[in-house]
Amino acid sequence: MAASKLVIVESPAKAQTIEGYLGPDYHVTASIGHIRDLPQPKELPDTMKKGPYGRFAVNVEDGFKPYYMVNPDKKKKVAELRRLLKEADELYLATDEDREGEAIAWHLAEVLGVDLASRCRVRFYEITANAVRSAVQAPDFIDQNRVDAQQARRVLDRLVGYTLSPLLWKKIRYGLSAGRVQSVALNLICQREREIQKFVPDPYWVVTVRASAPGDRLYELRADRLDGKSLMKGTLPLLIKDEATADDILEEVRNHPLTVSEFRLRESPRAAPAPFRTSTLQQEASRRLGMVPRRTMRVAQELYEGLNVPGRGSVGLITYMRTDSLRLSEEALALCRDFIERTYGAERLPKAPNVYAAPGRSQDAHEAIRPTDVTLTPEAVRDAMSPEQFRLYDMIWRRFTACQMAPAVTAKATLRAEAGRVGLKQEGESLVFDGWSAVWPLDLKGERLEPVEAGTVLTPTDMTKEQRFTRPPARYSEASLIKTLEENGVGRPSTYATISGTLDVRGYVEKNEEKRFCPTALGMTVDEFLMRYFDRKDLSSIVDAGFTAQMERELDEVEETRRRWLDVVREFWTEFSRTVEEAQSAERVPLPEPEPIGEDCPECGKPLVKKRGRFGEFIACTGYPECRYTRAILKTIGVSCPKCGAEQGGTVVKRRSRTGRTFYGCSRYPDCDYTSWNQPTGDRCPECGADLYRRGRTRFCTQCGYKAADDAPSDE
């Protein structure tokens, strides 16, 4: 090997990009993630299976010493790395910049026999030529405190998972699992469901008066006062409790002139939104792009590691995407401010850079998520990207650019009017100066109100009353669950993407038609069991968000050298093991009976029920195992089959492949073999007449490339 300096990163794509920056003296290779970990007990050497490591691969009796093994599928990789290291004069461990990456670097050093006192660690938070070259010119030591914090988390998760899961197998059903963050997330979803089940809607009435003023000015006011007293509770007129009161209000308006008492217009600045950190990126990608967190992080990883941009070669397009910091480098700020002034005008550039502080205990080692070069606009690199990559990069680029622009200015208007004993009100908002909203969407509250002078008599054109009912709290979406976990200090940027997927795979939750989490009967059963034995103030409460957040803070303190990782693990295990011991005496929990569907099996005549398996719900016969009849539960999306619908009446249903990927097919299968990975809309492309499909809030044509915004949400 001609190269004398070996650089080890985590992924092949990252290796390719970095090698292009460093030149022929460097050989860059990938470990492809972790090379060793805590093995499963069955993978331990025979001499250890019955010893102190046998239960957890962690020796609880000897300072919680972990036993690490090279992953079986990485043995060839380790041999290759050892050979490359023998041929090299210098080694640089350039794994990712978070705790997990630091731990991977430490494991590599241990396995390869590298002196931990040597400066072998390089860190860069963006994959650009300057960042990479600067990093290898100033190598550092492996941060043992950060390694210890990751090791404490790994040991804690092993102790919890390998203790609770067998307990759930014994008391509920084989194959279940529980974990520190997973159990809190499940508890949040189940607690919300219990609130919804207990919720009793309160009726109220909304009285609306549409009126006009001279000059064709139109208004829509709602009654909010009666006899000088407010009818409002919060934003709803909950004190209009019955139809008689609503009729009384309408009669009062009919019999008295509707006169404007006040029109107030107040301008106010709207500060630019902060740049993205991991949690907010996942929330916005879910909300705006319809991307689940795991998918968001996969695409972000691709943008971070580098894409082949024409004229530039392989370029890392965004900074590191696992971060809870909102800090931005001075170099990035200077480049962004220059770009804003040249592109959007000096009036949209604030006098000084906007500075943001992340909430809670954020780790400030990284920057916020931003484009590595703001001058690489989304359109400029579109041809180098897949549609998913473009959509996510476009969102990151716009958010970063907007965060350094001048405030938007809005005008909030309030119109009040009186009619006898009744007071009415309308509010609106309009944009005075776009500022940052020239780049990032600004949600206005209400429409623009035309000014009207006090004393003007309005002419009612329509008056209505409508009974409504208070609504229960909303179920959690992907975005709101991540937001709530973060607000409660539960989990870290690296864990948010996997939480909902784990709950879904275990069969604890499912998503309704609004893409919100509903706990299954199994999920509720598991949560109730965990709450009964593990939600206690005197012992370790793994389902309590406050307790789990405290654990996260203690892991932060390990990284900050304020606590020893062994002390954190020991204190937790002392209380937790006592809790588990008490739970061992619990009676077995009966699972809810499968839900009958009101049909008999076409093969044996026994009742059919709804069950849940690895890939979701399905219909099965109660005569199992003698009768093995099953069928899928077909979820129609309300669109006729593009192939046979007009003649045969087939409709498009949502299905799942053997790998778990969603696709769309005809309800008449196998008589009709129509399938599509994209969600059909039932409409035709206005440009070429082909079928239109939907993804997120975009309708598109696969034939000619036509795209358009769509208010209807995607079924994906």
Side-chain angles (χ1 to χ4, degrees):
M1 182 180 68
S4 61
K5 300 175 183 179
L6 177 64
V7 181
I8 302 178
V9 297
E10 290 184 39
S11 77
K14 189 176 179 182
Q16 180 183 1
T17 304
I18 292 172
E19 190 163 81
Y21 293 147
L22 293 178
D25 291 339
Y26 293 84
H27 178 71
V28 186
T29 189
S31 69
I32 315 178
H34 277 277
I35 60 165
R36 71 174 187 174
D37 196 2
L38 296 175
Q40 296 182 20
K42 64 181 181 181
E43 297 172 339
L44 283 166
D46 291 337
T47 55
M48 292 188 174
K49 285 181 180 178
K50 296 181 180 180
Y53 289 96
R55 186 179 173 192
F56 305 115
V58 173
N59 190 340
V60 175
E61 304 301 325
D62 185 17
F64 297 90
K65 187 181 297 181
Y67 181 83
Y68 294 112
M69 282 179 57
V70 173
N71 299 331
D73 60 342
K74 293 295 179 68
K75 289 183 178 179
K76 288 185 178 179
K77 173 57 68 175
V78 170
E80 176 193 342
L81 293 175
R82 283 172 174 160
R83 177 181 60 80
L84 292 172
L85 183 57
K86 286 181 180 179
E87 301 172 0
D89 297 327
E90 297 179 36
L91 171 68
Y92 300 102
L93 300 174
T95 50
D96 286 351
E97 294 71 37
D98 55 7
R99 288 177 188 164
E100 204 72 21
E102 202 74 22
I104 292 174
W106 177 75
H107 283 295
L108 282 166
E110 290 266 307
V111 169
L112 298 177
V114 177
D115 184 1
L116 292 175
S118 64
R119 290 184 178 271
C120 60
R121 180 75 166 110
V122 297
R123 303 180 185 89
F124 35 80
Y125 308 112
E126 60 185 35
I127 303 179
T128 60
N130 287 340
V132 171
R133 290 168 186 161
S134 298
V136 297
Q137 293 301 316
D140 198 357
F141 302 106
I142 290 175
D143 187 337
Q144 190 62 45
N145 296 316
R146 186 176 284 187
V147 172
D148 287 346
Q150 188 277 341
Q151 189 163 237
R153 177 188 294 277
R154 188 71 188 93
V155 169
L156 284 170
D157 288 344
R158 173 57 63 94
L159 295 177
V160 171
Y162 277 48
T163 302
L164 276 188
S165 296
L167 179 64
L168 295 179
W169 301 349
K170 181 179 178 181
K171 302 301 179 182
I172 302 178
R173 193 185 77 185
Y174 181 79
L176 303 180
S177 74
R180 293 183 311 113
V181 178
Q182 171 191 329
S183 298
V184 173
L186 176 62
N187 182 250
L188 288 170
I189 294 169
C190 291
Q191 291 285 42
R192 179 61 54 86
E193 194 67 21
R194 294 183 187 103
E195 292 175 25
I196 293 171
Q197 292 172 354
K198 294 177 182 178
F199 182 81
V200 178
D202 287 329
Y204 66 96
W205 290 77
V206 176
V207 177
T208 304
V209 177
R210 296 176 181 85
S212 63
D216 295 328
R217 292 172 290 177
L218 302 177
Y219 303 96
E220 187 174 290
L221 303 100
R222 287 185 174 175
D224 72 334
R225 284 161 291 130
L226 181 64
D227 293 326
K229 296 180 180 179
S230 175
L231 297 169
M232 310 296 288
K233 279 191 176 180
T235 60
L236 302 177
L238 297 182
L239 297 184
I240 308 180
K241 293 181 175 295
D242 49 55
E243 188 173 12
T245 304
D247 287 336
D248 188 25
I249 291 170
L250 287 174
E251 191 65 22
E252 195 73 11
V253 176
R254 289 191 189 98
N255 295 329
H256 294 84
L258 181 60
T259 306
V260 175
S261 59
E262 179 186 25
F263 184 88
R264 187 174 71 236
L265 193 65
R266 185 177 73 254
E267 290 189 3
S268 60
R270 295 268 289 270
F276 283 132
R277 56 188 192 278
T278 303
S279 61
T280 53
L281 176 67
Q282 292 176 0
Q283 291 168 43
E284 288 298 306
S286 174
R287 186 179 298 118
R288 297 182 185 276
L289 307 180
M291 298 173 82
V292 298
R294 188 189 293 269
R295 192 169 164 191
T296 298
M297 296 307 289
R298 187 189 72 237
V299 177
Q301 183 88 31
E302 294 166 357
L303 295 174
Y304 167 69
E305 291 177 349
L307 301 177
N308 189 23
V309 176
R312 294 205 183 194
S314 188
V315 177
L317 291 169
I318 65 170
T319 53
Y320 193 57
M321 62 285 157
R322 292 185 181 90
T323 176
D324 54 10
S325 172
L326 292 179
R327 182 177 61 82
L328 296 166
S329 72
E330 293 184 6
E331 180 182 357
L333 289 173
L335 185 62
C336 185
R337 285 175 60 80
D338 178 67
F339 177 81
I340 291 169
E341 186 171 19
R342 287 186 292 103
T343 308
Y344 298 101
E347 68 277 9
R348 293 189 178 90
L349 183 69
K351 293 181 179 179
N354 296 329
V355 178
Y356 301 90
R361 294 173 56 86
S362 67
Q363 303 297 303
D364 201 43
H366 307 153
E367 288 188 63
I369 303 169
R370 62 167 176 82
T372 56
D373 183 351
V374 73
T375 65
L376 281 177
T377 64
E379 288 300 329
V381 293
R382 185 169 197 153
D383 292 343
M385 298 179 173
S386 69
E388 276 188 329
Q389 291 167 343
F390 172 79
R391 292 161 67 211
L392 191 64
Y393 180 71
D394 181 70
M395 194 176 76
I396 293 170
W397 184 91
R398 290 180 180 279
R399 183 68 166 241
F400 170 66
T401 305
C403 88
Q404 289 306 312
M405 296 177 75
V409 180
T410 63
K412 297 181 179 180
T414 303
L415 168 62
R416 292 188 177 277
E418 314 292 331
R421 299 157 46 223
V422 175
L424 302 98
K425 179 182 177 182
Q426 183 181 359
E427 293 181 320
E429 189 174 22
S430 58
L431 188 64
V432 176
F433 173 66
D434 58 4
W436 57 265
S437 71
V439 178
W440 184 260
L442 169 65
D443 298 322
L444 293 175
K445 300 174 182 178
E447 299 178 352
R448 182 178 185 275
L449 290 186
E450 293 289 341
V452 61
E453 294 182 359
T456 301
V457 177
L458 304 178
T459 303
T461 58
D462 184 39
M463 292 186 284
T464 61
K465 61 181 180 182
E466 179 187 3
Q467 186 179 31
R468 297 183 184 178
F469 295 88
T470 54
R471 296 181 180 182
R475 293 182 174 92
Y476 288 103
S477 63
E478 294 265 12
S480 62
L481 180 62
I482 290 172
K483 183 179 180 181
T484 302
L485 288 170
E486 185 185 35
E487 288 174 346
N488 282 278
V490 175
R492 302 295 299 169
S494 59
T495 63
Y496 294 137
T498 61
I499 293 170
S500 61
T502 301
L503 295 176
D504 179 60
V505 167
R506 298 301 178 195
Y508 294 163
V509 302
E510 56 191 11
K511 287 184 180 178
N512 63 14
E513 294 179 356
E514 297 175 341
K515 302 297 179 187
R516 292 182 176 270
F517 291 116
C518 299
T520 62
L522 176 61
M524 293 289 278
T525 300
V526 170
D527 182 62
E528 287 167 3
F529 179 83
L530 293 176
M531 285 185 65
R532 185 179 308 138
Y533 291 99
F534 297 93
D535 187 24
R536 299 170 53 181
K537 302 305 179 186
D538 57 331
L539 298 173
S540 299
S541 179
I542 66 162
V543 296
D544 178 66
F547 176 84
T548 306
Q550 176 59 31
M551 290 296 302
E552 297 291 351
R553 288 192 290 271
E554 291 178 5
L555 292 175
D556 290 343
E557 290 171 357
V558 171
E559 183 172 338
E560 296 162 2
T561 70
R562 295 164 57 194
R563 294 206 65 184
R564 294 174 64 247
W565 78 271
L566 286 176
D567 294 338
V568 172
V569 174
R570 184 180 294 109
E571 288 176 13
F572 171 82
W573 179 249
T574 300
E575 300 297 333
F576 178 71
S577 57
R578 288 171 53 201
T579 317
V580 173
E581 192 64 33
E582 290 188 15
Q584 293 288 354
S585 61
E587 295 183 1
R588 187 172 180 84
V589 179
L591 282 171
E593 292 293 327
E595 178 185 347
I597 66 168
E599 293 181 30
D600 292 333
C601 176
E603 295 184 1
C604 73
K606 291 185 178 179
L608 293 176
V609 293
K610 186 186 295 185
K611 288 189 174 182
R612 184 176 180 88
R614 182 182 177 188
F615 298 120
E617 289 188 318
F618 64 98
I619 303 300
C621 179
T622 53
Y624 178 86
E626 289 77 15
C627 178
R628 294 179 174 270
Y629 174 82
T630 62
R631 73 168 187 256
I633 296 177
L634 301 180
K635 177 184 175 183
T636 181
I637 65 170
V639 173
S640 296
C641 174
K643 188 171 183 179
C644 76
E647 297 180 356
Q648 304 294 330
T651 59
V652 177
V653 294
K654 185 178 179 182
R655 297 180 183 270
R656 189 171 287 189
S657 70
R658 290 184 178 180
T659 61
R661 183 179 175 187
T662 296
F663 71 98
Y664 300 88
C666 181
S667 60
R668 296 182 57 250
Y669 177 84
D671 296 326
C672 175
D673 62 359
Y674 171 81
T675 59
S676 172
W677 292 115
N678 298 312
Q679 179 188 344
T681 65
D683 298 327
R684 295 284 183 176
C685 175
E687 295 186 0
C688 73
D691 292 325
L692 276 182
Y693 297 90
R694 178 184 293 122
R695 183 183 295 114
R697 295 192 177 275
T698 300
R699 296 197 306 167
F700 63 95
C701 175
T702 58
Q703 300 299 315
C704 69
Y706 167 82
K707 288 186 178 181
D710 189 354
D711 290 336
S714 168
D715 187 57
E716 294 179 353

